[in-house]
Amino acid sequence: MTDIDMTKLQDLLLSCWVVETARSMVFGAREQHAAESRSAARARILASRCAADGVQIKPEYAKGHAEWMMQVAGTEEETGVLGLIFLQRVGLYVDAHIGELLSEKDRLRLKELAEAEEDELNMALMSGGLKPPPPPEWPKTAAVAAPGKLKARIGILGDPHVGPEGSNRMVTSAIRQLEEAGVDCAVAIGDLTENGDTEFFQRAKELFDQSSLPIAVTLGNHDLWATEGGRSVGLERFTKTFDRKPCSVTEIEGVRLIVLNSADPARSPYRPFELMTGEFKEDHPNQSVPGGTFDAETLEWMGKLGPDSATTFIMLHHPPYPYLGMPPLVFGLDRPSTEVLAKLVLRTGAEAVFCGHTHRCAVTDFHGVPAVEVASSNDWPYGISVIELTDQGWSFNLRPISGEHPRPRDNHAGYLFRRYVVGPDEARAFAVIKGAKESSL
């Protein structure tokens, strides 16, 4: 990480402190107090390293990350040893990324505490084993509608990841169901392809062109994986295939959709890390932490956008900073770009920001408007996202794709992934009422 710039280094340091502090909170909630104490000691080491670099720790970030972590790890009764495995792997993320930034004394102490945790986990595995995971069940959430007369429906196709022939059945079904839902237009919110292959871009365009719907498209990190001569060629392939830029404005039935490009072609300074194994991956360097940014062209284009009488929604691939899933802070949009996004929200009077990238259902407050992360349509729980605008407000609902689905991962890792994806009920269905101080959000 010798080539990492100061802003990214500070975010990495803070990210590791957030993870460790959140682990301590979750161990405490699970009443595993020895582990809680060890994590707290590790967090103090990281806090000292942050202070040495002038990085201000953010307790509210740790609290938000702990909420995510508890959602996945669950209670002792819910996940047992599996929850411990997950929490230990999250700790290995810290060791893998922070080691070379610490003094030898602190590095050895961090390692000592990690080894004690691994010993405790091995004892738990030998004494109790792993509970069989429950079968997959689509999250049941009652649909929500805003009052008033319906004006428009907007569909969102979350991270389609179009790939080899035979792997895109759910994308086809999602597009068909958006048509059947009567949406006026749709947005494919990035990660159009699995790896930026030219053939996959062409296949994605063919799938979209077969629809009767106008479908706006933008780039995601997976679309930039392909390289030639050591540089990303995803933007070039996107532009050639779709004959458009990855930024656009669509106006339809009183709605303005601002679609932004946040995909960063620069190679990440972080090595690719596999959370479930707790190890770095060496097979594809572009699988490293794929944070987002706005390039100069996107920034210039955004600067020309202003207020409008139409109801405005902003769509992009990466969620704004601070992203508090995993890994916190470094997986979402960077800080400078997030500041520009906030100004755009205020300048355009946007009602909400919608993002992909994380494959989970989540909603947070972003300068007074919802920032909504939508689930992938090509992965469990196989859904489409629909916004319905009325003359009195608007609603958001994740709808299950009907018909036969590919079998979701039914092993222990798959169970943790399902716990991660579904999020709280209010992230899958909510309404916002014009002029109301409170909504169902």
Side-chain angles (χ1 to χ4, degrees), residues 7 14 27 48 60 70 137 142 216 247 317 355 396 413 434 438:
T7 299
L14 184 55
F27 280 129
S48 296
E60 67 272 23
M70 193 67 192
E137 183 179 2
C247 294
H317 188 64
C355 318
F396 170 86
K434 288 183 180 179
E438 296 182 356

Side-chain angles (χ1 to χ4, degrees), residues 220-234:
N221 54 288
H222 275 251
D223 301 316
L224 302 186
W225 276 15
T227 59
E228 291 179 3
R231 66 181 185 87
S232 171
V233 291

Side-chain angles (χ1 to χ4, degrees), residues 45 102 153 170 180 226 239 250 273 281 358 381 388:
I45 293 172
L102 297 176
R153 287 191 182 95
M170 294 311 296
E180 293 171 353
T239 303
T250 300
F273 184 79
K281 298 184 293 185
T358 64
E388 292 187 329

Side-chain angles (χ1 to χ4, degrees), residues 25-325:
M25 293 177 179
V26 174
F27 280 129
R30 287 170 59 102
E31 297 186 351
Q32 291 160 332
H33 299 301
E36 176 188 11
S37 177
R38 286 194 299 266
S39 287
R42 284 164 55 93
R44 287 192 291 272
I45 293 172
L46 300 173
S48 296
R49 183 65 177 86
C50 286
D53 275 61
V55 179
Q56 182 180 2
I57 60 175
K58 301 279 188 177
E60 67 272 23
Y61 290 1
K63 181 177 181 294
H65 189 54
E67 291 172 357
W68 166 82
M69 200 179 286
M70 193 67 192
Q71 174 192 321
V72 180
T75 64
E76 173 71 19
E77 293 73 21
E78 288 172 325
T79 63
V81 180
L82 181 60
L84 283 180
I85 294 174
F86 168 74
L87 292 168
Q88 189 257 354
R89 296 297 192 270
V90 173
L92 290 180
Y93 164 84
V94 174
D95 295 83
H97 288 87
I98 203 71
E100 63 187 77
L101 301 177
L102 297 176
S103 67
E104 182 177 3
K105 177 183 176 182
D106 285 344
R107 186 166 56 250
L108 290 174
R109 179 57 176 156
L110 208 69
K111 181 180 178 182
E112 178 185 16
L113 292 165
E115 288 173 347
E117 181 174 334
E118 185 173 6
D119 290 343
E120 187 173 280
L121 171 61
N122 289 334
M123 289 293 293
L125 282 168
M126 286 187 292
S127 62
L130 290 173
K131 300 178 182 178
E137 183 179 2
W138 208 90
K140 294 180 175 63
T141 307
V144 174
K149 182 181 178 181
L150 181 66
K151 295 174 63 178
R153 287 191 182 95
I154 310 299
I156 304 177
L157 189 65
D159 293 33
H161 287 275
V162 172
E165 193 71 39
S167 67
N168 308 305
R169 180 162 55 87
M170 294 311 296
V171 179
T172 303
S173 297
I175 294 171
R176 183 181 67 249
Q177 191 154 326
L178 285 170
E179 294 170 342
E180 293 171 353
V183 303
D184 298 290
C185 64
V187 179
I189 207 161
D191 278 1
L192 308 178
T193 68
E194 182 57 32
N195 61 11
D197 188 273
T198 297
E199 179 185 351
F200 298 164
F201 269 121
Q202 292 171 343
R203 186 166 293 142
K205 185 176 187 300
E206 290 170 2
L207 290 173
F208 301 158
D209 285 349
Q210 290 169 7
S211 172
S212 60
L213 295 172
I215 301 178
V217 289
T218 190
L219 285 164
N221 54 288
H222 275 251
D223 301 316
L224 302 186
W225 276 15
T227 59
E228 291 179 3
R231 66 181 185 87
S232 171
V233 291
L235 176 58
E236 296 171 19
R237 292 179 177 179
F238 172 95
T239 303
K240 182 178 180 180
T241 302
F242 290 98
D243 192 26
R244 69 178 87 173
K245 298 289 187 180
C247 294
S248 63
V249 173
T250 300
E251 297 197 32
I252 187 167
E253 303 296 336
V255 177
R256 176 175 60 160
L257 302 178
I258 298 175
V259 180
L260 305 174
N261 172 30
S262 60
D264 186 357
R267 182 169 174 175
S268 171
Y270 314 115
R271 294 168 64 193
F273 184 79
E274 174 56 56
L275 183 60
M276 291 314 299
T277 63
E279 298 175 345
F280 285 116
K281 298 184 293 185
E282 305 296 345
D283 57 334
H284 203 306
N286 291 339
Q287 292 180 9
S288 55
V289 175
T293 195
F294 295 140
D295 60 20
E297 184 176 7
T298 300
L299 290 170
E300 181 181 3
W301 183 85
M302 292 168 65
K304 300 174 183 177
L305 299 172
D308 194 282
S309 59
T311 299
T312 298
F313 298 112
I314 296 174
M315 313 268 183
L316 72 160
H317 188 64
H318 292 83
Y321 189 98
Y323 170 70
L324 296 178

